[in-house]
Amino acid sequence: MLTDNELLALLNKGDENAFSVIYERYWPLLLRHAKRMLSDDEDVRDVLQEVFSKLWNQAFDLEINTTLASYLYALTRNRILNVIAHQKVRTNHIDSLSSFMENEQVATDYLVRERQLSLLIEKEIALLPEKMRVIFDLSRNKHLSYKEIAQKLSISENTVKKQINNALKILRLKLGLVAFITFLLLK
């Protein structure tokens, strides 16, 4: 059985068998090490693939000042830290994008629905009988009291109250309960 130093000397000469022995000797150990730090098996395999690819690609120029095991563990650790950093950046970017999309979509959706509801309410108000619509408009949009409306139109306060109640009944029937409550809250 060859020592790590002997395997490195052979690897420096491009010996594929030496590389295979190193691979088989250290793959299981580095695999366990990487699995402790990374949860995704695919990331673990990618890290180890990069480690051994680098080892082979730099075989002729490789100068290790420590043991082979230390070198491989350090190389693996550095690759793992790169993966974790990349995951963190990706996660932050995805979270930021998701948050923006959710907030933007909710705001846009709300504005569109509010506009549609307003148009529907305006349409239904326009369909009210003319006198009822005028009284309703003075009450809801001009914010006049029953007394002020009665004086302005030379009618009784009772008539104003009855016309507004009738308008609300008609709108409630035509708009449905949810739209009607929303209408009341918007005014």
Side-chain angles (χ1 to χ4, degrees), residues 119-185:
L119 290 173
L120 177 63
I121 291 169
E122 288 173 23
K123 178 184 165 198
E124 292 303 327
I125 290 172
L127 295 174
L128 291 173
E130 184 179 350
K131 189 171 185 177
M132 186 182 290
R133 183 176 16 111
V134 169
I135 293 171
F136 192 79
D137 181 59
L138 290 172
S139 172
R140 294 294 183 212
N141 296 329
K142 305 285 192 268
H143 307 289
L144 298 179
S145 68
Y146 289 174
K147 187 175 185 175
E148 292 169 324
I149 295 170
Q151 288 173 350
K152 184 171 182 130
L153 298 178
S154 301
I155 56 176
S156 73
E157 281 184 57
N158 219 15
T159 303
V160 171
K161 183 177 181 180
K162 190 169 188 136
Q163 288 293 322
I164 290 175
N165 284 337
N166 287 341
L168 291 173
K169 283 180 188 175
I170 291 169
L171 291 173
R172 188 179 313 123
L173 287 172
K174 290 189 176 190
L175 296 174
L177 186 60
V178 173
F180 180 72
I181 290 170
T182 305
F183 164 72
L184 291 177
L185 294 174

